[in-house]
Amino acid sequence: VQLQASGGGLVQAGGSLRLSCAASGRTFRNYALAWFRQVLGKEREFVASVYYSGTNYADSVKGRFTISRDNAKDTVDLQMNGLKPEDTAVYYCAAGFGLPSILRGTPAYWGQGTQVTVSS
């Protein structure tokens, strides 16, 4: 089972990036899928989740980020608009057995991180 994240990079403040995460090894269509982020020296924090048709967002990204999933492809994307320097972090995708595991920060599967750097 593997979650492969891609799409990170360097962008100026106000710009956009789209992260994508592809699952392999099994289907995740019945799992809650999410994105977390972590700044060096700080705890990993929840960014957004999608479980069936429901989505949740951290207050810090509401209105700027959009999470979406494609069950046919077993992918989950994170469209990030209006990026700010404080969005700079390593972003991780994750899959959990239901939403509570995501919101507790204890999903069953983690992908490798992808670096997002927003310059001011």
Side-chain angles (χ1 to χ4, degrees):
V1 175
Q2 190 173 17
L3 297 174
Q4 183 74 34
S6 62
L10 173 64
V11 64
Q12 288 188 333
S16 298
L17 280 175
R18 188 175 184 90
L19 305 182
S20 186
C21 179
S24 61
R26 67 173 302 151
T27 181
F28 284 90
R29 64 188 60 192
N30 294 320
Y31 283 68
L33 300 177
W35 289 92
F36 290 76
R37 65 187 182 187
Q38 188 171 24
V39 176
L40 188 64
K42 295 187 177 181
E43 290 189 358
R44 194 171 297 187
E45 66 174 5
F46 169 81
V47 175
S49 68
V50 57
Y51 186 45
Y52 290 101
S53 59
T55 57
N56 290 277
Y57 295 93
D59 287 344
S60 59
V61 306
K62 280 181 182 177
R64 299 188 297 122
F65 291 11
T66 303
I67 190 170
S68 60
R69 66 189 296 168
D70 185 333
N71 287 335
K73 297 180 180 179
D74 271 327
T75 58
V76 56
D77 290 352
L78 185 68
Q79 177 66 42
M80 305 185 294
N81 299 328
L83 282 162
K84 304 175 181 180
E86 51 264 44
D87 294 319
T88 295
V90 178
Y91 283 71
Y92 297 88
C93 57
F97 301 111
L99 193 56
S101 68
I102 294 294
L103 298 180
R104 286 193 303 264
T106 57
Y109 304 102
W110 289 102
Q112 97 292 356
T114 185
Q115 177 71 46
V116 171
T117 302
V118 184
S119 63
S120 57

